Amino acid sequence: MTPLVRSAGTLTRDALAVLQPGFTGTTAPDWLLRRLGEGLVSVGLFGRNVADPPQLAALTARLRAEREELIVAIDEEGGDVTRLEVRGGSSFPGNHALGAVDDTALTRGVARELGRRLADCGINLNWAPSADVNSNPGNPVIGVRSFGADPQLVARHTAAYVEGLQSAGVAACTKHFPGHGDTAVDSHHDLPHIAADLPTLQERELVPFRAAVAAGTRAVMSAHILLPALDGEHPATLSPAALHGLLRAPATEGGLGFDGLIVTDGLEMQAISATYGIERGSVLALAAGADAICVGGGLADEDIVLRLRDALVRAVRDGELPEQRLADAAARVRALAGRTRSADVGEGPAPAPGIGLTAARRALRLTAAGPYAPLAEPAYVAAFTPLANIAVGDETPWGVAAELTRLLPGTETATCTRDAAAAAGTAALVDGLLTAAAGRRLVAVVRDVHRHPWMADALRSLLAARPDTAVVEMGVPQAPPQGALHIATHGAARVCAQAAAEALTGWRQPPGE
């Protein structure tokens, strides 16, 4: 027997309301504006949608001209994951740098300034912060996106970040529940498994999420990870045990008591799309307790919106998805859209434009093997470059060469990749670097050298030939310090590169910063 529904129009509007789709281009396409008029309440922005702040503000204003109470979301973590500054690198260090400083007032201030810039552009939901505990240093997708490996440290900085961001009128979306830090697989490519038992999850992964809920985070993003301790069949995004039974359950029942918006991670990620399919995944996510379906990082056209809308409507009519569950989810989305209306643009905190660089400078950790003379003449930079994960993307530049060239014009650089090392061999690769350097001072730049054997081998060979080389580690500094001078930046944001270049050339931080 087919369940009764209120009306086809209401059901369709509710199905549109729970979607957070993306689009291509720097102006709003006609199809998106039309769907906003039909019930769509959220739009997700990515780097491809951003040219500069005036363009972004004009884009969000055009969207709100169609629907005033609208959620405009973006994935702006700062640090390695930036959309506002996707082509130049972020003005803010990421979580790992903030965790290294361990000053919650600084973290709160950085998040507040980042939130102010988002609000000025008309954005009122940020898919951040990452509350993942970096419990697996080999994690290929979290790394410097985490505040650190200590659950209590991650918890206090997650709470500070939520408070800072939301003080600027931008809702925080704490991710990736129930914790993506103990994975060896990137859920963009496959379904990660976490073998931790429930007591471990309670004492480690869930600690920062409890802090985020206590700090008032408006939203939480689910992770596409399988935790048999919670649910041996479904990943967290599709698991009633994870979303309804753990995230929503009251503290007296071992849950987090969260009553805000639950947003899925991107459903086009392989962990869901290759296993369940986008449409089926959307239905299961809503049924499990999710309120908003994030899609649009990879699939970003009208077709995907219509496919998901129709899949949800069909699931209600077929009795697979309770109508009330869809209605409740849509109501939560609309409530957040009303609460964050216009993001209180112009009413936020006073600007603090230099706080990102200040934080990046404070996050540096320098280890010298002996006396190290600062660079005074053009150097040669060897950048050992790993393949970027999808969350970071390959559009955003990284490394210290540009900032070092600004201080020492004439500095040159070479990019070294795993493919180049495999094709030429480590010895030939290093010989080429030594020849190109032509006696100049060398700076080797690495990123998570502990995770890349080819990079570790090449760096070891280079240091054997030129022990005076300085090493800048822009990932998680897990490997022992190497080089005449070792600089750990705890991230690859542009300001981290600027701080490292200053340290290499002997710049001294002004008192009081």
Side-chain angles (χ1 to χ4, degrees), residues 301-488:
D301 56 19
E302 185 177 21
D303 177 66
I304 190 62
V305 173
L306 298 181
R307 283 168 55 193
L308 296 186
R309 179 201 67 183
D310 293 347
L312 294 172
V313 170
R314 188 166 54 248
V316 171
R317 288 178 171 159
D318 291 347
E320 296 180 34
L321 176 64
E323 181 187 359
Q324 191 60 50
R325 171 79 274 273
L326 178 61
D328 289 345
R332 271 202 177 91
V333 174
R334 295 186 187 111
L336 184 61
R339 185 171 188 173
T340 58
R341 183 173 174 178
S342 301
D344 296 325
V345 176
E347 300 178 7
I355 194 170
L357 180 56
T358 295
R361 287 168 175 163
R362 290 182 62 186
L364 291 187
R365 297 294 180 268
L366 276 62
T367 305
Y372 183 83
L375 301 178
E377 297 178 351
Y380 193 83
V381 179
F384 295 93
T385 304
L387 185 67
N389 69 57
I390 292 177
V392 173
D394 56 10
E395 292 180 281
T396 306
W398 74 285
V400 302
E403 293 297 330
L404 200 54
T405 300
R406 183 175 59 83
L407 297 178
L408 297 175
T411 292
E412 295 181 14
T413 187
T415 298
C416 308
T417 65
R418 181 180 63 180
D419 289 347
T426 299
L429 180 71
V430 171
D431 284 345
L433 292 173
L434 295 173
T435 299
R440 282 175 287 179
R441 300 278 295 278
L442 271 166
V443 177
V445 184
V446 296
R447 197 170 181 174
D448 292 336
V449 69
H450 67 283
R451 292 200 303 110
H452 303 287
W454 71 269
M455 190 186 298
D457 289 345
L459 180 61
R460 191 160 40 245
S461 295
L462 181 64
L463 292 175
R466 286 286 301 271
D468 62 329
T469 299
V471 177
V472 181
E473 168 63 87
M474 304 195 80
V476 177
Q478 187 72 20
Q482 302 177 74
L485 176 68
H486 184 275
I487 301 176

Side-chain angles (χ1 to χ4, degrees), residues 129-213:
S130 168
D132 305 297
V133 177
N134 214 9
S135 44
N136 180 356
N139 193 309
V141 69
I142 301 301
V144 294
R145 301 168 67 195
S146 166
F147 287 110
D150 176 13
Q152 296 299 329
L153 179 146
V154 176
R156 60 180 173 265
H157 286 278
T158 295
Y161 198 105
V162 167
E163 293 164 357
L165 191 63
Q166 295 188 164
S167 73
V170 176
C173 183
T174 305
K175 61 188 183 186
H176 306 81
F177 182 83
H180 208 311
D182 191 21
T183 62
V185 172
D186 183 346
S187 53
H188 290 91
H189 301 297
D190 205 345
L191 178 61
H193 291 62
I194 293 183
D197 58 21
L198 191 56
T200 299
L201 294 175
Q202 292 282 2
E203 296 170 7
R204 190 177 65 188
E205 271 73 21
L206 296 180
V207 173
F209 289 97
R210 286 198 199 92
V213 171

